[in-house]
Every structure is written in C-alpha cells, then in structure tokens.
Amino acid sequence: MEHIGVDLFNNFYKDKRVLITGHTGFKGSWLSIWLKTLGATVIGYSLDPYTMDDNFVVSKLKDKVIDVRGDIRDYNKLLEVFNIYKPEIVFHLAAQPLVKESYDNPKETYETNVMGTLNVLECIKNSATVKVSIMVTTDKCYKNMEQIWGYRENDPMGGYDPYSSSKGCAEILIDSYRNSFINPKDYELHGKAIASVRAGNVIGGGDWSKDRIIPDCIRALKNNKDIEIRNPKAVRPWQHVLEPLSGYLLLASKMYEDGVNYCSGWNFGPEDSSIISVQIVVDIIIKQWGCGKCIDISSINAPHEANLLKLDCTKAKIYLKWIPKLNIDEAIKLTVDWYKNNNDKDMYDLCVHQIETYCNKLDTEER
C-alpha cells in the first residue's frame, strides 16, 4: 500500500472505510487519491465522469477504489451501497455544480442538490456504521449582499441563481437533520457527527467542466484560440483543490475523535491576497502557460452571477488550526503543470506528487 511522505492526519485514515459520493468528479477524484495514499478503503458512488480526460479517468482510479456508478437521486441504490460496504466516514460531494447549467436545467439542479442530499442524510441516519459525515456545499450558499467583508458561518443562507439557492436549501436541510435526528446533544445515543463545509472557487488539474474559467482557459490555450471571458471583473476566492480538501480531512478526523464540538458549518477559503478578479487569474494562467491572449465577451443580457464573494475562515483557523498555504501563483502553477503533463505522464503519480509537495509545504511551515 502506498503512502505519501508526510501524513498530516497522524495515520488516522489507515484502514478506515470511507464513502465518497461524487468520486468521479473533480474534487471527488482528488479526495479519493489523497485517501488512498493515506491507506483508507475508498468506496465511490457517482455518475460516469464528465469526459474521458477527467482526473478520475486519466489517473485510472477505477482500478484503485471500489467504484459504484449510480445517481444520487436513486435512494434505493444508494442505501444498498451503505448496507453492503458499511462506511465509517462519508464525504458527500455529488452535485450539479455549475451556475450556468442551473439556469438551463433548474429542476435537475434542485433534484440533485437538495433531494440528493436528503437521500444521503437518510442513509446516514439509518446507518449502523457511519460515525462522521462531511457534507460539501459551496460559498455560494450564503445570501450574497455584495459586501466587502467575508461571510461567516452564521450568516443567512440564500442564493440568487438556482445553483446557489439549491446549495442554500441543502445547508438548511443538513442543519434540520442535525437538529432533528443527529443532534450533538444526543451523541451518546446515536454516535454520529455531521458537518457542512463551504469552499471558494476551487481550481486544480483534471477539471474539464463547461463554463468554468480554468477549463475554458486550458481548452483555448491547447487549441491556440483566444480565451473568452464573460465576467472579467467578478471577484472570487480562488484556491487550489488541496486546500479545502485538507480542511475536510482534518475536520473529519477531529469529529471522529470528538463527536460533539465540531458538528456545524465550516468555511475553508483562501487568504485575501487570493481573492482577485477573473481577469487577473486569466492573466496569470497565460503567463504561466507561456503564450495566449484573452477577449472580453461579457454581455448585459447574461444570466446573473455574483460579482463579489469572499469567506471569513476565522473559525477554522482558531478551532482547527487550519490555514491555507498556497498563494494564487502557487495554486495556478500546480494547476497549469497538471494540464501541461496530462498527455504524457502517469497522472496518478503526478497527483500523488502534488499532494506530497503540498503536505511537505505544510509540514515545513509548521515546524
């Protein structure tokens, strides 16, 4: 069994049975790889990958995890997975994750993000083995006031577009189940701990989703075309995928040891220096790629998207001692390096190397 050089979680995940919904997706594939290196038994439940170039496919994860294909809206099949594989820890990432897609298919977005989350919660509630559940939503779950300060975990949920509001709904649903059925006050009776986590705009290698700025940039650059930007002035909290995943993994380990004091919502966002406009991000990508140019195709008739969004991560910094370590240039460099090498290298090894580089950075800076 393969292990990375630095284990940030003190051998906690070795031999743990971990279920990841959405394991074929961008974040889910990286989480699967990280957990594999930590010695966990990874069970994945998800739809097929979006493209044959996705991180899950090129990293050959199908052969490295228990790979179950299914729709998060199919309660009976999901329950069967819980009953057969008896996970101890659940990371729920399966979702319809795109704002523009939610305008095109709002019904499917709500069915997946709300009712799919309900199905997972029901399985967790009825499971005899699950001890810890991390429910992944988004920074867009907050009612966006275009404010200049970051949103805190106790700010109201909301959402203008169907995607954002579906995630706000999911957060309210999670909180309801935590209060009604998995209340920390009754931990001695049910033995379960559940938390929701909210990250910023996550970037990294292996994401080929449509209408996302990094994949759009890479597709244009690989085809020697101009990069088209539809919202260049929008400000987002950009972070490499390993940053929030390190927070999720840390939080789950804390919850396993203490099932009472960590059951709530948590923000995992970047430092203020990485909260920058789409235009600046594209400029950095072009510089690190070595060529390319962009054009502004923004339209006054485009569907509404938030212009300013940032997270306050004080809670995670104080209570979990979690601190983001990559600046925006480092995050984009790791991302660009993945896409530059995805045709001629063992991508699983490359991902493991990037995880190890990240862990070594954390370990070195904490000494």
Side-chain angles (χ1 to χ4, degrees):
M1 188 172 292
E2 144 185 47
H3 294 270
I4 57 176
V6 177
D7 183 348
L8 301 176
F9 314 105
N10 299 317
N11 215 32
F12 168 77
Y13 285 99
K14 188 176 186 303
D15 298 326
K16 293 288 193 305
R17 297 186 309 279
V18 183
L19 171 64
I20 302 174
T21 71
H23 71 297
T24 64
F26 166 50
K27 286 173 74 174
S29 65
W30 277 96
L31 180 59
S32 298
I33 293 170
W34 200 338
L35 282 165
K36 283 295 295 179
T37 66
L38 296 171
T41 298
V42 177
I43 307 110
Y45 182 85
S46 182
L47 297 174
D48 292 337
Y50 181 64
T51 76
M52 295 307 293
D53 292 320
D54 282 15
N55 191 41
F56 179 87
V57 179
V58 298
S59 295
K60 298 181 174 61
L61 275 176
K62 186 180 188 302
D63 302 324
K64 298 178 173 66
V65 303
I66 298 170
D67 177 34
V68 183
R69 299 299 168 86
D71 196 313
I72 202 68
R73 296 170 293 178
D74 186 342
Y75 174 73
N76 290 330
K77 186 166 185 179
L78 180 64
L79 181 61
E80 186 177 273
V81 170
F82 273 78
N83 290 336
I84 291 173
Y85 296 105
K86 300 182 181 351
E88 303 166 77
I89 300 169
V90 175
F91 290 93
H92 173 46
L93 288 83
Q96 191 299 95
L98 303 171
V99 172
K100 191 171 183 299
E101 176 69 16
S102 76
Y103 281 109
D104 296 334
N105 294 293
K107 183 174 181 291
E108 182 177 329
T109 297
Y110 284 106
E111 288 174 345
T112 302
N113 294 351
V114 182
M115 298 309 294
T117 297
L118 176 63
N119 288 340
V120 175
L121 289 167
E122 271 292 292
C123 290
I124 290 167
K125 175 171 72 74
N126 295 323
S127 169
T129 59
V130 173
K131 292 189 64 176
V132 169
S133 306
I134 302 291
M135 313 294 286
V136 179
T137 64
T138 174
D139 57 350
K140 296 177 180 66
C141 68
Y142 293 107
K143 184 175 178 61
N144 195 314
M145 309 299 291
E146 302 284 352
Q147 62 192 33
I148 60 172
W149 50 88
Y151 293 93
R152 294 179 176 175
E153 287 86 350
N154 58 355
D155 281 331
M157 298 294 107
Y160 183 106
D161 57 89
Y163 166 73
S164 300
S165 69
S166 74
K167 288 297 192 172
C169 290
E171 283 282 358
I172 294 170
L173 176 59
I174 294 162
D175 193 49
S176 174
Y177 261 67
R178 183 169 44 225
N179 289 329
S180 302
F181 308 113
I182 315 174
N183 198 304
K185 294 178 182 178
D186 302 321
Y187 181 75
E188 295 301 322
L189 296 176
H190 56 69
K192 301 179 191 298
I194 187 167
S196 61
V197 293
R198 306 141 190 179
N201 271 39
V202 178
I203 65 174
D207 181 12
W208 295 101
S209 300
K210 63 179 181 178
D211 299 318
R212 275 188 181 158
I213 189 61
I214 302 297
D216 286 350
C217 285
I218 298 301
R219 278 188 286 262
L221 291 168
K222 281 181 174 283
N223 292 306
N224 296 313
K225 294 182 178 180
D226 293 342
I227 299 169
E228 298 180 343
I229 313 176
R230 68 176 187 271
N231 201 1
K233 295 181 180 179
V235 175
R236 298 284 186 269
W238 308 92
Q239 58 191 145
H240 191 269
V241 62
L242 297 180
E243 297 272 41
L245 291 186
S246 71
Y248 304 169
L249 289 165
L250 176 60
L251 176 60
S253 67
K254 296 284 189 183
M255 291 167 65
Y256 197 96
E257 297 163 0
D258 179 351
V260 175
N261 292 316
Y262 297 93
C263 300
S264 56
W266 298 83
N267 289 340
F268 294 100
E271 301 290 13
D272 284 354
S273 60
S274 293
I275 303 174
I276 57 177
S277 71
V278 170
Q279 181 67 66
I280 295 175
V281 167
V282 172
D283 290 342
I284 297 173
I285 291 171
I286 290 172
K287 180 180 178 181
Q288 295 200 0
W289 189 266
C291 62
K293 65 177 183 176
C294 63
I295 55 174
D296 182 354
I297 62 164
S298 54
S299 168
I300 59 172
N301 297 317
H304 174 273
E305 290 190 52
N307 285 309
L308 177 61
L309 185 61
K310 61 188 290 190
L311 294 173
D312 184 326
C313 301
T314 303
K315 179 180 173 181
K317 291 177 179 179
I318 291 177
Y319 293 109
L320 299 177
K321 309 301 181 188
W322 175 87
I323 297 176
K325 293 296 184 180
L326 300 175
N327 61 41
I328 188 61
D329 290 291
E330 291 169 325
I332 292 178
K333 183 179 188 310
L334 284 175
T335 302
V336 169
D337 284 349
W338 191 100
Y339 287 108
K340 279 188 170 182
N341 288 290
N342 76 308
N343 290 325
D344 54 13
K345 282 198 174 182
D346 184 317
M347 297 312 293
Y348 183 83
D349 286 349
L350 186 145
C351 290
V352 170
H353 175 71
Q354 290 198 349
I355 292 169
E356 188 165 22
T357 299
Y358 177 76
C359 291
N360 282 326
K361 181 178 178 65
L362 289 181
D363 184 61
T364 300
E365 293 187 6
E366 287 173 1
R367 287 175 191 167

